[in-house]
Amino acid sequence: MIAQTRTFIRLGLISIVGLAFYYAHLFLGMVGNAWMFKALAVCFLVATVPLPIIAVGNRKLFPALETRTKHLLAMGALLLLVHHFLMTFIFVMFLPEGRIL
């Protein structure tokens, strides 16, 4: 139970770093290499996939939370997954190859 909670929190933090990564590149163009950017985007997506699975499948994840709060946590994880999927899809499919300015 503790291991799944730690895993959920760590993956959640990685996903939040992924949010910062997507928007930093979108507004500031932080990554100059298209291949590196696409690889990082896919890695953040893969790290986000287990979040809704853990949130929905484990009823003992956060025992102190109420049922409503657990549902909000699961919906937040699902929305984070959908966001990462859409951003990764857009950036990987429509980003030009080579150097990004």
Side-chain angles (χ1 to χ4, degrees):
M1 183 171 78
I2 297 295
Q4 285 186 347
T5 304
R6 287 181 184 166
T7 303
F8 183 82
I9 291 173
R10 288 177 184 162
L11 289 175
L13 291 175
I14 291 171
S15 295
I16 291 172
V17 169
L19 278 173
F21 164 76
Y22 286 123
Y23 288 107
H25 180 72
L26 189 63
F27 294 121
L28 304 173
M30 300 293 282
V31 181
N33 186 358
W35 188 87
M36 179 64 79
F37 177 77
K38 290 177 183 183
L40 283 171
V42 170
C43 287
F44 284 124
L45 175 64
V46 169
T48 308
V49 168
L51 285 177
I53 297 168
I54 294 171
V56 171
N58 189 357
R59 300 195 186 276
K60 298 179 183 179
L61 184 61
F62 295 109
L65 295 179
E66 297 176 6
T67 305
R68 180 173 184 260
T69 311
K70 287 183 184 181
H71 287 293
L72 287 175
L73 182 68
M75 288 304 296
L78 184 64
L79 287 174
L80 190 62
L81 174 64
V82 168
H83 174 271
H84 280 2
F85 175 77
L86 290 175
M87 293 294 278
T88 301
F89 179 77
I90 289 169
F91 285 146
V92 170
M93 293 302 289
F94 300 118
L95 194 66
E97 292 293 326
R99 181 123 175 102
I100 304 170
L101 298 176

